[in-house]
Amino acid sequence: MRVGIIASSRHPIAEPFAGGLESHVWSLADGLRRRGHEVTLFAGPGSDPRLGVEALDLRRPEISAEARRDVSMSPERWLDEHHAYLDLMLRLAGDWDGRFDVIHNHSLHHLPIAMAPAVRTPMVSTLHTPPTPWLESAIQCGDGCPVTFAAVSAHTAAAWRGVVPDARVVPNGVDTEQWQEGPGGGPLVWFGRMVPEKGPHLALDAACRADMPIVLAGPIADRAYFDREVGPRLGGNARFAGHLDRAELVELVGRARAVLTTPCWDEPYGLVAAEALACGTPVCGFARGGMTEVVGPGAGVLVDPGDTDALATAIAVAVELPRARIREYAVRHCSLASMIEAYTGLYGELATSGVAA
């Protein structure tokens, strides 16, 4: 099939990934191409060229000096993104009409949804986040939104039910050929974006109370938070490994005795947990959002959100779980192959009907 994938423009779809959304889109595009589909990925500059990338035009539109005097003018970065998606959607509705069998939107911008009625090609849009005002507004434009929505978890589908009552649940998947089972036995690991809602400082507190070494890895997306809450907790048994690529993460996570997940918000899915389980590494974390759908019985231990004492105590239980069984669970429940099969089935339905469901 000919699939056009719209990515978020905020970060390149390339390693080392800025976050779970970028990793997910890369894996989907790569998996579809390896299965023989013709993929075009509309993404920000610097994205992996092997994915058939057409870079979103993030050059700021030429704003006149007169317009710049408008005190209500939006920030330049906002204009860049707005212009890029406006240009893309107009092309898909015009010159590129008929270029794709299906369009799959993964951006967090409102324009692909708001302008979908102008595009004749069926569109799927994956809900990766909790509801946002801009997207809710776009969905409610006109007489009815023609987009078919998929949610990354039952939790996320329920959160959007007020405006999307029939979202299909297609859980995210990880490439279990790349995320291989590791030997374990090493320090605890926490990995992800260094931002308050991911709570890496709570992982450091729990590891300290459990008197176990821990390694953190990931991009520093919020420098002020990192310097205030994470940096002062490092040292001794706590180390920051930096922003690692996938191969480095697979090695680190595969050697970990357990991976800690400490969300301070309701995770839409919990990709970090799925990646850890694919390495045979037990997950010990907070039971928030979609995390409870990823970490099943025997795959890890989840405790009440924010309870670092309970998390520290649970680590001793998690590290005793059999790694081979955890790996088997991940292959059955968290695989990229299952996710791609679900999406290609949906693509086929929409391409056959010629309209969004």
Side-chain angles (χ1 to χ4, degrees):
M1 297 184 68
R2 300 170 302 160
V3 184
I5 298 178
I6 304 176
S8 171
S9 67
R10 297 177 184 178
H11 303 285
I13 308 301
E15 294 190 55
F17 298 114
L21 178 57
E22 290 74 25
S23 174
H24 166 82
V25 172
W26 188 98
S27 296
L28 174 63
D30 179 66
L32 289 171
R33 289 174 67 84
R34 286 193 283 120
R35 287 161 175 78
H37 299 284
E38 183 181 327
V39 176
T40 301
L41 175 64
F42 298 101
S47 296
D48 191 338
R50 294 173 296 176
L51 301 179
V53 173
E54 290 198 17
L56 290 166
D57 186 1
L58 291 172
R59 295 168 299 175
R60 187 179 69 254
E62 295 183 5
I63 306 299
S64 67
E66 289 76 11
R68 288 180 180 279
R69 295 191 186 101
D70 180 358
V71 295
S72 65
M73 179 179 145
S74 300
E76 291 184 356
R77 181 176 177 181
W78 187 95
L79 284 172
D80 288 348
E81 191 173 45
H82 175 84
H83 186 75
Y85 286 117
L86 179 62
D87 179 70
L88 172 61
M89 296 307 295
L90 288 172
R91 288 176 183 272
L92 290 173
D95 295 345
W96 292 346
D97 181 28
R99 180 179 175 182
F100 302 108
D101 298 308
V102 66
I103 297 167
H104 194 164
N105 175 49
H106 293 272
S107 80
L108 306 180
H109 202 274
H110 64 284
L111 279 179
I113 304 299
M115 297 182 68
V119 179
R120 295 196 301 173
T121 305
M123 181 184 291
V124 179
S125 188
T126 296
L127 301 169
H128 288 281
T129 67
T132 64
W134 285 91
L135 284 180
E136 284 197 352
S137 172
I139 292 168
Q140 296 175 70
C141 286
D143 296 328
C145 182
V147 176
T148 297
F149 289 94
V152 297
S153 65
H155 166 82
T156 299
W160 282 91
R161 193 162 293 145
V163 289
V164 184
D166 54 356
R168 305 194 187 196
V169 177
V170 181
N172 288 341
V174 298
D175 189 341
T176 53
E177 294 180 5
Q178 292 193 1
W179 291 89
Q180 289 282 345
E181 183 178 350
L188 301 173
V189 166
W190 184 101
F191 66 108
R193 291 183 298 119
M194 299 287 167
V195 291
E197 62 265 28
K198 299 290 185 179
H201 67 288
L202 299 179
L204 289 165
D205 289 347
C208 179
R209 291 170 191 177
D211 194 24
M212 295 184 67
I214 184 171
V215 176
L216 278 66
I220 301 175
D222 186 330
R223 170 58 71 175
Y225 162 74
F226 183 89
D227 291 343
R228 183 179 67 252
E229 300 290 350
V230 178
R233 289 173 164 87
L234 297 174
N237 279 338
R239 180 172 67 89
F240 176 53
H243 191 186
L244 307 180
D245 63 26
R246 183 176 301 194
E248 293 169 323
L249 274 176
V250 169
E251 181 181 1
L252 178 68
V253 174
R255 288 189 287 105
R257 295 186 68 188
V259 161
L260 303 188
T261 57
T262 49
C264 297
W265 71 321
D266 289 337
E267 283 285 356
Y269 176 71
L271 192 64
V272 162
E275 291 166 344
L277 300 179
C279 293
T281 302
V283 172
C284 193
F286 297 150
R288 291 203 66 164
M291 194 70 68
T292 59
E293 299 171 46
V294 179
V295 184
V301 181
L302 298 179
V303 302
D304 290 341
D307 192 340
T308 52
D309 288 331
L311 185 62
T313 301
I315 292 171
V317 178
V319 298
E320 296 298 326
L321 296 172
R323 298 182 69 89
R325 191 176 301 170
I326 293 171
R327 164 71 181 183
E328 291 171 4
Y329 171 90
V331 171
R332 289 197 309 272
H333 296 283
C334 309
S335 75
L336 178 67
S338 295
M339 182 190 77
I340 291 179
E341 183 178 348
Y343 275 131
T344 52
L346 179 55
Y347 297 164
E349 289 179 36
L350 300 182
T352 300
S353 66
V355 294

